[in-house]
Amino acid sequence: MMFSFWEIFFFTINTLILAYGISITLAYLILAALSQYELRKYIQRNHFTDFRNILSSPLTPGISLIAPAYNEGLTIIDNVKSLMSIMYNNYEIIIINDGSKDDTLNKMIEAFNLVIVPFDLQYTIATKPVRGIYKSQNRAFKKLTVVDKENGGKADALNVGLNVSKKDLVACIDVDCIIEPDALLKMVKPFLESTKPVIASGGVVRIANSCIVEDGRLVEVKLPQIQIARFQVLEYIRAFLLGRMAWSKLNGLLLISGAFGLFKRDIAVKCGGYNHNTVGEDMELVVRMRVYMHKHNFPYKVTYIPDPLCWTEAPASYQILGRQRNRWARGTFEVLKLHRYLFFNPKYGLMGLVSYPFWFFFEWLAPFVEFSGLLYFLTLACIGKINWIFFFAITLAVYAFAFFISMFSLFSEETSYYKYTQKRDIIKMIGTALIEPLWFHPRVVWWGLKGNFDLIKGKKSWGEMSRQGFVQYKKKNELVR
Amino acid sequence: MKYFTLTYLIQAFSEEVNILLSISVILLLLSIALVLFILISRLVKSYHLKKEEKFKQLFREIIYGISVQEKNRSDQESDLALTELNKNIHSVFGQQVLIDELIHVRKNVVGTSADNIYAVYLNLELHKNSLKKLKSISWVTKARGIRELAEMDYSNAILQIEQLLSAPQQTIREESILALIRLSKNNSFNFINDYKGEITPWIEINIHKHLLTLDARKLPNFSLWFNHSNRSVRSFSIKMTRLFRQIESVPDLLLLLSEADKDIALLAADAICDMAGQEYATPLAEILSNTWDYDQISIRLMNTMASIGDPDIHSKFLTPFLSHPDYEVRLATVRALEQLNGTEQHIQVLEKDKQVAIQQMIAHVNNTFLN
Amino acid sequence: MKILICDDDEAVVSMIRFKLTREKLGEVSVVNNGRDAKAILNDMHFDLVITDIHMPYCSGIEITQYIRETLKRSTPIIILSAEGLEDTVLQAFQMGATDFISKPFSLAELAIRVKRILSSQ
């Protein structure tokens, strides 16, 4: 029997797409099941934990909270005050004013009675020049340090924080996030109880839209009133409760969200701190820290805490959301490209064999596959090669799967943290899950694609130039040698 | 009509389509089941909450009443209260709520009130409930039982709990250690002599928290375990020596400084830094030069010298460290010299740029807001 | 004599209320968080405030500061806290607290301290 070229061609493409679809489905199912198991265990264990014992103990590691601020004049005072009411014994707050053009710095100087101090800063990690370091004259604000520096972007500001900090652990946060008062107590626990050294611990980020906030503190959790934010609530619950928990169990977590993560400072510094040439600096640092540990053959762990500890305002318009997703896509691509040597590299264990390929195939490649699949389908439809019954059946199956995963994540939330308590909320979330695959998901795919194309296009026109503006600034700390 | 029956439809489709359709139906049914589960769980949750709240309200008033009673009061009042409580704990649920409430109250009080609560626990035979939990198959229940007995100081359970010390489940092991330390009043640390497991910082925190409530004079001399074969017991005992200021162990700690295991040496340095008196200044100054290669240990000893050193005798041991390759060590040296009799006089011999760098450190360490 | 107790722990406030009422030391009001504490302090006069440090919305230290600096009152304040850390205790006294009691505490002792503070007024 002879096959024509086209028959073989269609057969190959169809099989590839089918294989991709089946493997992504299986991957998500496995992750969801693992996450659920791990989440249960976490919650049962914490039932026995009196976090207040950490609060008063002299045996806890010191933590520096590092929060970069750029043009935050309107809210900075509230934000800093809310950071000061965090429950932890040995911690300090380092606010980095990243060359704001507004009155961010002056407002802080006035509100907290700051004076410039002769801090002998070492540029262990090269950063833009620091213009001054401020401390409060009021002992009540002893925990606060404010650093004023020339603008250099988020990664650069965080690196200044790493240079200023003298504590064992650093928590890198977005200054406009609302951090729960017990966040540090919960985040630090993995560092205390693990027999393997923990190098980083990530926290959950939840959506704060429509929640009631007073004086920078979350008073009541509410489901967002606008649909676009509800899509993101569903997305975040799915990603955090059904994805990262499993990666943490496997010790294969690659991304700790930039909004809230806790790191071992010495290792972050030894790796050279945040990379300011990528917009995915949060993921890049975790990958680099892991690579560092592998290269030195040190045992280590990257953990993750499922408690909702950090709340952030989600983009409320498709335009801003599009920009955010575009940036995420670029970040993912840049990190994957930078560390491409990990791809199925057995030297890096699970990270090389599972985590990296997962990110490559199912996070980065997915929008391309989906989009080209759509084009392929349209072409076939035009030349009349579609088995419509089969098409509808498979579409229905995929839709049912998407809905099932969403329901599973809602189930997971319901049996764990149960934050959305109103009866109407559950109906709204089911509605959101029903329309998400048709209305929201295509946009996410499109933004992801666009991010990748922007990056490829941008590389040629302005990629290298922007780097020239960055002045390498290193104080001569080789003075004594 | 037959065109619309299910069997006709199924026959009409190819096998693949049927598979896909059945997958879809299964997934949708599962989704609906999940939704139903969520809704039902909400009902159950609110029912339980209401029931619990009802019990709690009832118990609380009585428990608070009992807890504020003074010693040697007529027992009539408490008998009445006990009968009232007894009426409501026929269900396992009620018993659990009462145990939780008793523990909760007892955590916050000491003295007569705490004794009163313990008396209620015993009189209502709730310890039997807790002891039964130790035999459960579920580790959560087991751990909960251990916790309850420990919180209530029910020391008759020591033997049963000791058997759980080597349980495969981490939480059970942790709970057992803590419980044993709480319960065995006279020599709390017997079990540690041949303890093989790990004492994580988390357990240390909890043990320390409990030891704080005891009379410091009754604590064992932790230096007994400085050379234990289990490394985590060693570091635990060094930390406790420091936190409870067992000054008589300083000579032993000095020996540990030259330990090959540098993490242990560092902990010893930490302890010395907190406790060493002036009589140790000279031996420490002499050890200092041996620690050159271990930045963290040098820093600790430098801090010690800052508080116990004599400027005329010891400065000369410190000054070489002004040229140490590590910045933090240099900074600690400057800090120590500033405490003794100033750094300026020691840096004239250095090159000009080094002098400038050290002057910046002097400004840093002398600023009131930076300390 | 009017006494205000602020603590987010139901058991703690109720026991103290029970005890103080039993000893007939005064009329006791109770709030469960820092926000309500500030609100009630605005409206009413108290002869003594007993407050926990860690509460929702606003800490006991902040309440002390609020009474001393914003309301400019010299009401005696007893701070009650599970963390007996030197730093916290010092901060409490710096802000103008009258007394500090660490948890777990003895109800009898608390009652005696309250009695002494109220009679010295």
Side-chain angles (χ1 to χ4, degrees), chain A residues 45 47-48 53 56 118 120 122 135 192 397 414 420 422, chain B residues 24 42 45 144 147 171 201-202 206 327 361 364 367 369:
Chain A
R45 273 183 65 103
H47 183 79
F48 293 96
N53 287 355
S56 54
D120 188 27
Q122 299 299 298
K135 294 286 288 184
L192 300 173
E414 181 77 17
Y420 302 105
Q422 295 211 348
Chain B
S24 316
R42 291 206 162 184
K45 235 181 259 173
R144 188 189 270 237
R147 172 64 70 89
T171 309
W202 171 244
N206 284 288
Y327 172 79
M361 291 188 213
H364 181 123
N367 187 285
F369 301 119

PDB file of all heavy atoms in Angstrom, chain A residues 45 47-48 53 56 118 120 122 135 192 397 414 420 422, chain B residues 24 42 45 144 147 171 201-202 206 327 361 364 367 369:
ATOM      1  N   ARG A  45       0.234  19.178  59.112  1.00  0.00           N
ATOM      2  CA  ARG A  45       1.431  19.428  59.927  1.00  0.00           C
ATOM      3  C   ARG A  45       1.327  20.759  60.664  1.00  0.00           C
ATOM      4  O   ARG A  45       1.676  20.877  61.824  1.00  0.00           O
ATOM      5  CB  ARG A  45       2.670  19.464  59.039  1.00  0.00           C
ATOM      6  CG  ARG A  45       3.292  18.125  58.797  1.00  0.00           C
ATOM      7  CD  ARG A  45       4.538  18.296  57.976  1.00  0.00           C
ATOM      8  NE  ARG A  45       5.524  19.046  58.744  1.00  0.00           N
ATOM      9  CZ  ARG A  45       6.558  18.472  59.341  1.00  0.00           C
ATOM     10  NH1 ARG A  45       6.734  17.183  59.241  1.00  0.00           N
ATOM     11  NH2 ARG A  45       7.412  19.185  60.028  1.00  0.00           N
ATOM     12  N   HIS A  47      -1.130  22.268  61.608  1.00  0.00           N
ATOM     13  CA  HIS A  47      -2.127  22.237  62.656  1.00  0.00           C
ATOM     14  C   HIS A  47      -1.423  22.201  64.014  1.00  0.00           C
ATOM     15  O   HIS A  47      -1.929  22.682  65.011  1.00  0.00           O
ATOM     16  CB  HIS A  47      -2.982  20.997  62.448  1.00  0.00           C
ATOM     17  CG  HIS A  47      -4.091  20.876  63.409  1.00  0.00           C
ATOM     18  ND1 HIS A  47      -5.251  21.586  63.266  1.00  0.00           N
ATOM     19  CD2 HIS A  47      -4.222  20.159  64.548  1.00  0.00           C
ATOM     20  CE1 HIS A  47      -6.045  21.310  64.274  1.00  0.00           C
ATOM     21  NE2 HIS A  47      -5.453  20.444  65.068  1.00  0.00           N
ATOM     22  N   PHE A  48      -0.223  21.626  64.033  1.00  0.00           N
ATOM     23  CA  PHE A  48       0.514  21.458  65.278  1.00  0.00           C
ATOM     24  C   PHE A  48       1.497  22.581  65.542  1.00  0.00           C
ATOM     25  O   PHE A  48       2.249  22.524  66.488  1.00  0.00           O
ATOM     26  CB  PHE A  48       1.291  20.144  65.253  1.00  0.00           C
ATOM     27  CG  PHE A  48       0.387  18.979  65.266  1.00  0.00           C
ATOM     28  CD1 PHE A  48       0.029  18.363  64.100  1.00  0.00           C
ATOM     29  CD2 PHE A  48      -0.132  18.532  66.453  1.00  0.00           C
ATOM     30  CE1 PHE A  48      -0.839  17.303  64.118  1.00  0.00           C
ATOM     31  CE2 PHE A  48      -0.992  17.476  66.479  1.00  0.00           C
ATOM     32  CZ  PHE A  48      -1.350  16.852  65.306  1.00  0.00           C
ATOM     33  N   ASN A  53       5.828  30.652  68.706  1.00  0.00           N
ATOM     34  CA  ASN A  53       7.084  30.223  69.321  1.00  0.00           C
ATOM     35  C   ASN A  53       8.276  30.779  68.546  1.00  0.00           C
ATOM     36  O   ASN A  53       9.333  31.019  69.122  1.00  0.00           O
ATOM     37  CB  ASN A  53       7.175  28.703  69.355  1.00  0.00           C
ATOM     38  CG  ASN A  53       6.258  28.114  70.398  1.00  0.00           C
ATOM     39  OD1 ASN A  53       5.632  28.856  71.146  1.00  0.00           O
ATOM     40  ND2 ASN A  53       6.186  26.811  70.444  1.00  0.00           N
ATOM     41  N   SER A  56       9.115  34.770  69.481  1.00  0.00           N
ATOM     42  CA  SER A  56       9.856  35.293  70.622  1.00  0.00           C
ATOM     43  C   SER A  56      11.209  34.618  70.792  1.00  0.00           C
ATOM     44  O   SER A  56      11.897  34.875  71.752  1.00  0.00           O
ATOM     45  CB  SER A  56       9.021  35.107  71.875  1.00  0.00           C
ATOM     46  OG  SER A  56       8.658  33.751  71.976  1.00  0.00           O
ATOM     47  N   PRO A 118      26.713  57.721  57.724  1.00  0.00           N
ATOM     48  CA  PRO A 118      27.928  57.349  56.985  1.00  0.00           C
ATOM     49  C   PRO A 118      28.062  55.840  56.848  1.00  0.00           C
ATOM     50  O   PRO A 118      29.035  55.254  57.294  1.00  0.00           O
ATOM     51  CB  PRO A 118      29.048  57.935  57.843  1.00  0.00           C
ATOM     52  CG  PRO A 118      28.506  57.902  59.226  1.00  0.00           C
ATOM     53  CD  PRO A 118      27.024  58.136  59.106  1.00  0.00           C
ATOM     54  N   ASP A 120      29.148  52.534  55.509  1.00  0.00           N
ATOM     55  CA  ASP A 120      30.290  52.205  54.650  1.00  0.00           C
ATOM     56  C   ASP A 120      29.889  51.076  53.702  1.00  0.00           C
ATOM     57  O   ASP A 120      30.190  49.916  53.931  1.00  0.00           O
ATOM     58  CB  ASP A 120      31.472  51.785  55.521  1.00  0.00           C
ATOM     59  CG  ASP A 120      32.729  51.614  54.697  1.00  0.00           C
ATOM     60  OD1 ASP A 120      32.833  52.267  53.643  1.00  0.00           O
ATOM     61  OD2 ASP A 120      33.593  50.824  55.098  1.00  0.00           O
ATOM     62  N   GLN A 122      29.595  48.467  50.780  1.00  0.00           N
ATOM     63  CA  GLN A 122      30.476  47.720  49.888  1.00  0.00           C
ATOM     64  C   GLN A 122      29.691  47.326  48.640  1.00  0.00           C
ATOM     65  O   GLN A 122      28.607  46.772  48.748  1.00  0.00           O
ATOM     66  CB  GLN A 122      30.972  46.453  50.591  1.00  0.00           C
ATOM     67  CG  GLN A 122      31.762  46.719  51.839  1.00  0.00           C
ATOM     68  CD  GLN A 122      33.013  47.529  51.560  1.00  0.00           C
ATOM     69  OE1 GLN A 122      33.890  47.080  50.834  1.00  0.00           O
ATOM     70  NE2 GLN A 122      33.080  48.733  52.102  1.00  0.00           N
ATOM     71  N   LYS A 135      18.813  56.670  58.064  1.00  0.00           N
ATOM     72  CA  LYS A 135      18.225  55.958  59.206  1.00  0.00           C
ATOM     73  C   LYS A 135      17.355  56.954  59.966  1.00  0.00           C
ATOM     74  O   LYS A 135      17.539  58.166  59.858  1.00  0.00           O
ATOM     75  CB  LYS A 135      19.317  55.444  60.149  1.00  0.00           C
ATOM     76  CG  LYS A 135      20.223  54.376  59.606  1.00  0.00           C
ATOM     77  CD  LYS A 135      19.592  53.007  59.501  1.00  0.00           C
ATOM     78  CE  LYS A 135      19.378  52.327  60.833  1.00  0.00           C
ATOM     79  NZ  LYS A 135      18.842  50.952  60.649  1.00  0.00           N
ATOM     80  N   LEU A 192      13.922  26.323  59.125  1.00  0.00           N
ATOM     81  CA  LEU A 192      14.199  25.822  60.464  1.00  0.00           C
ATOM     82  C   LEU A 192      14.019  24.323  60.593  1.00  0.00           C
ATOM     83  O   LEU A 192      14.665  23.679  61.385  1.00  0.00           O
ATOM     84  CB  LEU A 192      13.263  26.500  61.478  1.00  0.00           C
ATOM     85  CG  LEU A 192      13.345  28.007  61.583  1.00  0.00           C
ATOM     86  CD1 LEU A 192      12.239  28.527  62.483  1.00  0.00           C
ATOM     87  CD2 LEU A 192      14.698  28.418  62.126  1.00  0.00           C
ATOM     88  N   ALA A 397     -13.816  17.569  24.698  1.00  0.00           N
ATOM     89  CA  ALA A 397     -12.976  16.890  25.685  1.00  0.00           C
ATOM     90  C   ALA A 397     -11.971  17.855  26.303  1.00  0.00           C
ATOM     91  O   ALA A 397     -11.771  17.875  27.522  1.00  0.00           O
ATOM     92  CB  ALA A 397     -12.261  15.716  25.047  1.00  0.00           C
ATOM     93  N   GLU A 414     -11.052  25.357  48.514  1.00  0.00           N
ATOM     94  CA  GLU A 414     -12.151  25.197  49.466  1.00  0.00           C
ATOM     95  C   GLU A 414     -11.720  24.371  50.670  1.00  0.00           C
ATOM     96  O   GLU A 414     -12.061  24.681  51.810  1.00  0.00           O
ATOM     97  CB  GLU A 414     -13.324  24.515  48.756  1.00  0.00           C
ATOM     98  CG  GLU A 414     -14.550  24.312  49.607  1.00  0.00           C
ATOM     99  CD  GLU A 414     -15.339  25.589  49.795  1.00  0.00           C
ATOM    100  OE1 GLU A 414     -15.112  26.530  49.013  1.00  0.00           O
ATOM    101  OE2 GLU A 414     -16.160  25.641  50.712  1.00  0.00           O
ATOM    102  N   TYR A 420     -12.754  32.641  50.024  1.00  0.00           N
ATOM    103  CA  TYR A 420     -13.937  33.286  49.465  1.00  0.00           C
ATOM    104  C   TYR A 420     -15.160  32.621  50.055  1.00  0.00           C
ATOM    105  O   TYR A 420     -15.611  31.570  49.601  1.00  0.00           O
ATOM    106  CB  TYR A 420     -13.917  33.198  47.946  1.00  0.00           C
ATOM    107  CG  TYR A 420     -12.682  33.838  47.383  1.00  0.00           C
ATOM    108  CD1 TYR A 420     -11.636  33.084  46.885  1.00  0.00           C
ATOM    109  CD2 TYR A 420     -12.558  35.222  47.407  1.00  0.00           C
ATOM    110  CE1 TYR A 420     -10.488  33.688  46.408  1.00  0.00           C
ATOM    111  CE2 TYR A 420     -11.415  35.834  46.937  1.00  0.00           C
ATOM    112  CZ  TYR A 420     -10.376  35.061  46.442  1.00  0.00           C
ATOM    113  OH  TYR A 420      -9.247  35.664  45.975  1.00  0.00           O
ATOM    114  N   GLN A 422     -18.394  33.709  50.664  1.00  0.00           N
ATOM    115  CA  GLN A 422     -19.793  33.963  50.318  1.00  0.00           C
ATOM    116  C   GLN A 422     -20.327  32.907  49.346  1.00  0.00           C
ATOM    117  O   GLN A 422     -19.590  32.418  48.497  1.00  0.00           O
ATOM    118  CB  GLN A 422     -19.912  35.338  49.681  1.00  0.00           C
ATOM    119  CG  GLN A 422     -19.552  36.430  50.649  1.00  0.00           C
ATOM    120  CD  GLN A 422     -20.319  37.690  50.389  1.00  0.00           C
ATOM    121  OE1 GLN A 422     -20.957  37.825  49.344  1.00  0.00           O
ATOM    122  NE2 GLN A 422     -20.259  38.608  51.316  1.00  0.00           N
TER     123      GLN A 422
ATOM    124  N   SER B  24     -15.079  13.263  27.892  1.00  0.00           N
ATOM    125  CA  SER B  24     -15.731  14.538  28.214  1.00  0.00           C
ATOM    126  C   SER B  24     -16.810  14.330  29.255  1.00  0.00           C
ATOM    127  O   SER B  24     -16.909  15.087  30.231  1.00  0.00           O
ATOM    128  CB  SER B  24     -16.378  15.168  26.973  1.00  0.00           C
ATOM    129  OG  SER B  24     -15.514  15.080  25.892  1.00  0.00           O
ATOM    130  N   ARG B  42     -19.520  23.194  52.373  1.00  0.00           N
ATOM    131  CA  ARG B  42     -19.857  24.468  53.021  1.00  0.00           C
ATOM    132  C   ARG B  42     -20.953  24.287  54.058  1.00  0.00           C
ATOM    133  O   ARG B  42     -20.886  24.836  55.150  1.00  0.00           O
ATOM    134  CB  ARG B  42     -20.312  25.486  51.981  1.00  0.00           C
ATOM    135  CG  ARG B  42     -19.180  25.898  51.110  1.00  0.00           C
ATOM    136  CD  ARG B  42     -19.355  27.251  50.520  1.00  0.00           C
ATOM    137  NE  ARG B  42     -18.030  27.672  50.092  1.00  0.00           N
ATOM    138  CZ  ARG B  42     -17.759  28.853  49.583  1.00  0.00           C
ATOM    139  NH1 ARG B  42     -18.698  29.737  49.432  1.00  0.00           N
ATOM    140  NH2 ARG B  42     -16.538  29.143  49.236  1.00  0.00           N
ATOM    141  N   LYS B  45     -19.503  22.420  56.967  1.00  0.00           N
ATOM    142  CA  LYS B  45     -18.614  23.306  57.703  1.00  0.00           C
ATOM    143  C   LYS B  45     -19.408  24.243  58.608  1.00  0.00           C
ATOM    144  O   LYS B  45     -19.095  24.398  59.787  1.00  0.00           O
ATOM    145  CB  LYS B  45     -17.802  24.140  56.706  1.00  0.00           C
ATOM    146  CG  LYS B  45     -16.302  24.034  56.909  1.00  0.00           C
ATOM    147  CD  LYS B  45     -15.575  24.898  55.919  1.00  0.00           C
ATOM    148  CE  LYS B  45     -15.018  24.073  54.777  1.00  0.00           C
ATOM    149  NZ  LYS B  45     -14.433  24.884  53.707  1.00  0.00           N
ATOM    150  N   ARG B 144      -1.655  14.567  67.772  1.00  0.00           N
ATOM    151  CA  ARG B 144      -2.557  15.399  68.550  1.00  0.00           C
ATOM    152  C   ARG B 144      -2.639  14.897  69.998  1.00  0.00           C
ATOM    153  O   ARG B 144      -2.632  15.685  70.953  1.00  0.00           O
ATOM    154  CB  ARG B 144      -3.941  15.358  67.906  1.00  0.00           C
ATOM    155  CG  ARG B 144      -4.922  16.317  68.501  1.00  0.00           C
ATOM    156  CD  ARG B 144      -6.287  16.042  67.948  1.00  0.00           C
ATOM    157  NE  ARG B 144      -6.525  16.826  66.735  1.00  0.00           N
ATOM    158  CZ  ARG B 144      -7.561  17.666  66.639  1.00  0.00           C
ATOM    159  NH1 ARG B 144      -8.386  17.818  67.626  1.00  0.00           N
ATOM    160  NH2 ARG B 144      -7.757  18.340  65.534  1.00  0.00           N
ATOM    161  N   ARG B 147       0.439  15.872  71.856  1.00  0.00           N
ATOM    162  CA  ARG B 147       0.399  17.291  72.172  1.00  0.00           C
ATOM    163  C   ARG B 147      -0.508  17.569  73.371  1.00  0.00           C
ATOM    164  O   ARG B 147      -0.153  18.311  74.284  1.00  0.00           O
ATOM    165  CB  ARG B 147      -0.076  18.053  70.923  1.00  0.00           C
ATOM    166  CG  ARG B 147      -0.345  19.523  71.123  1.00  0.00           C
ATOM    167  CD  ARG B 147       0.881  20.316  71.498  1.00  0.00           C
ATOM    168  NE  ARG B 147       1.848  20.450  70.433  1.00  0.00           N
ATOM    169  CZ  ARG B 147       1.843  21.433  69.537  1.00  0.00           C
ATOM    170  NH1 ARG B 147       0.896  22.327  69.561  1.00  0.00           N
ATOM    171  NH2 ARG B 147       2.780  21.503  68.619  1.00  0.00           N
ATOM    172  N   THR B 171       6.527  14.539  62.254  1.00  0.00           N
ATOM    173  CA  THR B 171       5.779  15.315  63.243  1.00  0.00           C
ATOM    174  C   THR B 171       5.640  14.546  64.555  1.00  0.00           C
ATOM    175  O   THR B 171       5.756  15.125  65.638  1.00  0.00           O
ATOM    176  CB  THR B 171       4.387  15.667  62.698  1.00  0.00           C
ATOM    177  OG1 THR B 171       4.548  16.238  61.412  1.00  0.00           O
ATOM    178  CG2 THR B 171       3.683  16.652  63.588  1.00  0.00           C
ATOM    179  N   PRO B 201      16.548  23.140  64.035  1.00  0.00           N
ATOM    180  CA  PRO B 201      16.364  24.417  64.726  1.00  0.00           C
ATOM    181  C   PRO B 201      14.938  24.595  65.230  1.00  0.00           C
ATOM    182  O   PRO B 201      14.715  25.206  66.279  1.00  0.00           O
ATOM    183  CB  PRO B 201      16.684  25.455  63.649  1.00  0.00           C
ATOM    184  CG  PRO B 201      17.602  24.762  62.721  1.00  0.00           C
ATOM    185  CD  PRO B 201      17.194  23.315  62.729  1.00  0.00           C
ATOM    186  N   TRP B 202      13.986  24.048  64.503  1.00  0.00           N
ATOM    187  CA  TRP B 202      12.593  24.184  64.916  1.00  0.00           C
ATOM    188  C   TRP B 202      12.351  23.515  66.265  1.00  0.00           C
ATOM    189  O   TRP B 202      11.688  24.057  67.145  1.00  0.00           O
ATOM    190  CB  TRP B 202      11.685  23.590  63.832  1.00  0.00           C
ATOM    191  CG  TRP B 202      10.257  23.484  64.234  1.00  0.00           C
ATOM    192  CD1 TRP B 202       9.532  22.352  64.373  1.00  0.00           C
ATOM    193  CD2 TRP B 202       9.375  24.569  64.552  1.00  0.00           C
ATOM    194  NE1 TRP B 202       8.258  22.649  64.762  1.00  0.00           N
ATOM    195  CE2 TRP B 202       8.129  24.001  64.877  1.00  0.00           C
ATOM    196  CE3 TRP B 202       9.519  25.952  64.605  1.00  0.00           C
ATOM    197  CZ2 TRP B 202       7.041  24.776  65.253  1.00  0.00           C
ATOM    198  CZ3 TRP B 202       8.418  26.715  64.979  1.00  0.00           C
ATOM    199  CH2 TRP B 202       7.206  26.131  65.287  1.00  0.00           C
ATOM    200  N   ASN B 206      11.457  25.229  70.122  1.00  0.00           N
ATOM    201  CA  ASN B 206      10.389  24.789  71.013  1.00  0.00           C
ATOM    202  C   ASN B 206      10.913  24.328  72.366  1.00  0.00           C
ATOM    203  O   ASN B 206      10.301  24.608  73.399  1.00  0.00           O
ATOM    204  CB  ASN B 206       9.579  23.682  70.348  1.00  0.00           C
ATOM    205  CG  ASN B 206       8.658  24.242  69.289  1.00  0.00           C
ATOM    206  OD1 ASN B 206       7.668  24.890  69.594  1.00  0.00           O
ATOM    207  ND2 ASN B 206       9.008  24.048  68.033  1.00  0.00           N
ATOM    208  N   TYR B 327      35.973  41.845  54.209  1.00  0.00           N
ATOM    209  CA  TYR B 327      35.524  43.155  54.680  1.00  0.00           C
ATOM    210  C   TYR B 327      34.888  43.084  56.064  1.00  0.00           C
ATOM    211  O   TYR B 327      35.172  43.898  56.938  1.00  0.00           O
ATOM    212  CB  TYR B 327      34.532  43.767  53.686  1.00  0.00           C
ATOM    213  CG  TYR B 327      33.895  45.030  54.207  1.00  0.00           C
ATOM    214  CD1 TYR B 327      34.592  46.239  54.168  1.00  0.00           C
ATOM    215  CD2 TYR B 327      32.629  45.019  54.774  1.00  0.00           C
ATOM    216  CE1 TYR B 327      34.031  47.396  54.677  1.00  0.00           C
ATOM    217  CE2 TYR B 327      32.061  46.168  55.290  1.00  0.00           C
ATOM    218  CZ  TYR B 327      32.764  47.357  55.240  1.00  0.00           C
ATOM    219  OH  TYR B 327      32.209  48.490  55.740  1.00  0.00           O
ATOM    220  N   MET B 361      35.202  53.148  57.750  1.00  0.00           N
ATOM    221  CA  MET B 361      34.646  52.156  58.679  1.00  0.00           C
ATOM    222  C   MET B 361      34.495  52.748  60.071  1.00  0.00           C
ATOM    223  O   MET B 361      33.506  52.469  60.768  1.00  0.00           O
ATOM    224  CB  MET B 361      35.571  50.943  58.770  1.00  0.00           C
ATOM    225  CG  MET B 361      35.612  50.125  57.509  1.00  0.00           C
ATOM    226  SD  MET B 361      36.545  48.624  57.842  1.00  0.00           S
ATOM    227  CE  MET B 361      37.292  48.374  56.266  1.00  0.00           C
ATOM    228  N   HIS B 364      31.442  54.648  60.220  1.00  0.00           N
ATOM    229  CA  HIS B 364      30.293  53.733  60.219  1.00  0.00           C
ATOM    230  C   HIS B 364      30.042  53.165  61.618  1.00  0.00           C
ATOM    231  O   HIS B 364      28.926  53.228  62.126  1.00  0.00           O
ATOM    232  CB  HIS B 364      30.562  52.602  59.221  1.00  0.00           C
ATOM    233  CG  HIS B 364      29.449  51.608  59.114  1.00  0.00           C
ATOM    234  ND1 HIS B 364      28.820  51.326  57.934  1.00  0.00           N
ATOM    235  CD2 HIS B 364      28.851  50.819  60.041  1.00  0.00           C
ATOM    236  CE1 HIS B 364      27.881  50.418  58.132  1.00  0.00           C
ATOM    237  NE2 HIS B 364      27.899  50.086  59.413  1.00  0.00           N
ATOM    238  N   ASN B 367      28.609  55.625  64.327  1.00  0.00           N
ATOM    239  CA  ASN B 367      27.349  56.334  64.158  1.00  0.00           C
ATOM    240  C   ASN B 367      26.263  55.715  65.040  1.00  0.00           C
ATOM    241  O   ASN B 367      26.035  54.506  65.008  1.00  0.00           O
ATOM    242  CB  ASN B 367      26.931  56.274  62.689  1.00  0.00           C
ATOM    243  CG  ASN B 367      25.735  57.138  62.418  1.00  0.00           C
ATOM    244  OD1 ASN B 367      24.626  56.772  62.778  1.00  0.00           O
ATOM    245  ND2 ASN B 367      25.964  58.291  61.827  1.00  0.00           N
ATOM    246  N   PHE B 369      23.066  55.833  64.915  1.00  0.00           N
ATOM    247  CA  PHE B 369      21.868  55.276  64.290  1.00  0.00           C
ATOM    248  C   PHE B 369      22.148  53.943  63.612  1.00  0.00           C
ATOM    249  O   PHE B 369      21.239  53.205  63.261  1.00  0.00           O
ATOM    250  CB  PHE B 369      21.283  56.258  63.287  1.00  0.00           C
ATOM    251  CG  PHE B 369      20.919  57.572  63.925  1.00  0.00           C
ATOM    252  CD1 PHE B 369      21.515  58.756  63.517  1.00  0.00           C
ATOM    253  CD2 PHE B 369      19.991  57.602  64.957  1.00  0.00           C
ATOM    254  CE1 PHE B 369      21.185  59.950  64.123  1.00  0.00           C
ATOM    255  CE2 PHE B 369      19.663  58.799  65.569  1.00  0.00           C
ATOM    256  CZ  PHE B 369      20.253  59.976  65.156  1.00  0.00           C
TER     257      PHE B 369
END
